[in-house]
Amino acid sequence: MTTPFPFTAVVGQDDLRLALLLNAVSPAVGGVLVRGEKGTAKSTAVRALSALLPEVAVVPGCRFSCDPAAPDPACPDGPHERGPGVERPARMVELPVGASEDRLVGALDIERALAEGVKAFEPGLLADAHRGILYVDEVNLLHDHLVDLLLDAAAMGSSYVEREGVSVRHAARFLLVGTMNPEEGELRPQLLDRFGLTVEVTASREPDQRVEVVRRRLAYDDDPDGFAARWAAEEAAVRQRIAAARELLPQVRLGDGALRQIAATCAAFEVDGMRADIVMARTATALAAWAGRTDVLAEDVRQAALLALPHRRRRNPFDAPGLDEDKLDETLEQSAGQDGDGDGDDDPGPGGPGGGGRPEPEDGPQGGGDTAARPETGEGGQPQPSGAPEQSPVRAAEPFRAKALSVPGIGEGAAGRRSRARTEHGRTTGAHRPRGTLTKLHLAATVRAAAPHQRARGRSGPGLVIRRDDLRQAVREGREGNLVLFVVDASGSMAARQRMSAVKGAVLSLLLDAYQRRDKVGLVTFRGAGAEVALPPTSSVDAAAARLESLPTGGRTPLAAGLLKAHEVLRVERLRDPARRALLVVVTDGRATGGPEPVALAGRAARLFAAESVASVVVDCESGPVRLGLAGRLAGELGGTAVTLDELRADSIAGLVRDVRETSRRAA
């Protein structure tokens, strides 16, 4: 067994170590979510923590780690008598990103349950982690339904496995620790809220500290046992301090003054629900116990807020995480001075987004935004902008709720919320013989398959005689996540400030929709002499939003180059993830300039997508009293549909999804 890196030898990362230790003192805090870039000792610190936890007493032979002093009366291996147990180290169980539901919660032998009426249960990782640590690396990449099961078990302290009326319950109390790299995608806000604390970790920029990190890591790699021995005294001291803090914890008093500060802080930062208040109270109590005190002080409340609130303030993926410490100090000071007469709510308040609103975009002369891209005569009389100078990025308009777009047909991609797909979760639509392990039994189909053979099998009692060949797997239909690839026109013809602001607002709205539907997103832009992949396909929609916000405009309109670049992106992504279907969203006014026959070349590029039946939508950004309808023509070449910016709003385009499907069906 590999010797773990000592917890006390981790350099820096004070907040991370404190958050882990507080959960070791009081598991009721609710776990830790560690956010940060790769290579910042996230996994190292978590794995090192398990060596500091006190040993646990368990019932001999119990697969569910029951406490011999208070055994679980509903334990599947029980009932157990109270008595002496055996001591063993606290476990750290790691949940792989690709784990199945059965691996997480356990599996019932459905065949034996139907034929013999017994609950043959194989425990999962939740049972293994009981009274220890459950560690999920890259928790943001875990399937949503697994995250839901995981967090439900963490909140309730027990796990339920239900299959066709057969159920098993067992205790599952553990310290939940998740790590994630935000660049690879965010967790949904309701899932973020279920983690007690969150910590942002970054690599130190101090040369001396970085040197010490490298020195210790090299020493550990050369001689793990010797390195651990040099830190044994520090490890023992922390282990004893955790045990002492656990014993002191029930004696810590959370006074009315501290409670008032907690409530005032949560109200001031407008966090949803009451979970934040409860977590802050438990964290402040654990901080006091860790410091060896029996009273919670204002400094404990402040530290608890810094750990418990930042991730609960995010309303959408474009909000920056973090907490305004000046506002926190002001709130704590005001609430400490209140004596219950209540009117401490005088907030001058004009600085927020709703106070004065965004500054109006700069307006030049009528139509002045297009003066840098004055049209020439192109193929077929089409206005053709000349090479326009690059303009600085403009701010996006306020996002809105976008109409749902979906890919036609039924896919088999990763679980999500956009298009129809065959999934393990959803409504049952049929049954088939299981290929491999049976996971979702179709009871009626199984009974129908077994019924004709009962006499031949010598059935004499009330129960059915079931053979493995009788079992039928349920076919279920749910929703999948897609790859939404944005192709955004950033040329001079789009450079009018008001128009580009509206375009960016529309794309942000679609990005927010993609975040909520668990899609991957990519961003291709074209202007000037060619096109570029501004963001390769990723689950991080906030990264796409950041690239969009800084997008400059100007120059000619190489529409064909943008489409060809998008086609290449989809080709590569199809090799990486063939099950994930794509939705192409082209944001343009339809103009094509630069090079010989730009319109014809764009048409040929568009027909590549039509030939491959790629679902597509063209967001028509043409404005003004005279419209050329070029975006509509492009949509026809793509085999998709065209919508205007106004029609993209959810409350203004009934039937858009139907139109997309019908157009794609005609193209096929």
Side-chain angles (χ1 to χ4, degrees), residues 614-635:
V614 176
S616 59
V617 176
V618 177
V619 180
D620 185 359
C621 303
E622 193 173 27
S623 61
V626 179
R627 296 176 180 265
L628 302 176
L630 301 174
R633 285 164 50 186
L634 175 63

Side-chain angles (χ1 to χ4, degrees), residues 638-651:
L638 287 166
T641 189
V643 295
T644 66
L645 287 173
D646 290 337
E647 290 173 335
L648 196 59
R649 295 178 180 271
D651 55 0

Side-chain angles (χ1 to χ4, degrees), residues 46 49-50 53 91-93 129 131-135 174-175 177:
V46 174
L49 178 67
S50 61
L53 297 182
R91 292 174 180 159
M92 195 205 74
V93 177
R131 305 175 69 199
I133 299 174
L134 182 60
Y135 172 48
F174 45 82
L175 166 55
V177 182

Side-chain angles (χ1 to χ4, degrees), residues 24-26 54 239-252 285-286 289-290 292-294:
V25 171
S26 175
R239 192 178 298 111
Q240 292 173 2
R241 187 175 175 184
I242 291 174
R246 283 187 172 186
E247 291 183 6
L248 183 62
L249 187 65
Q251 305 171 37
V252 176
T285 304
W290 178 248
R293 290 184 270 101
T294 56

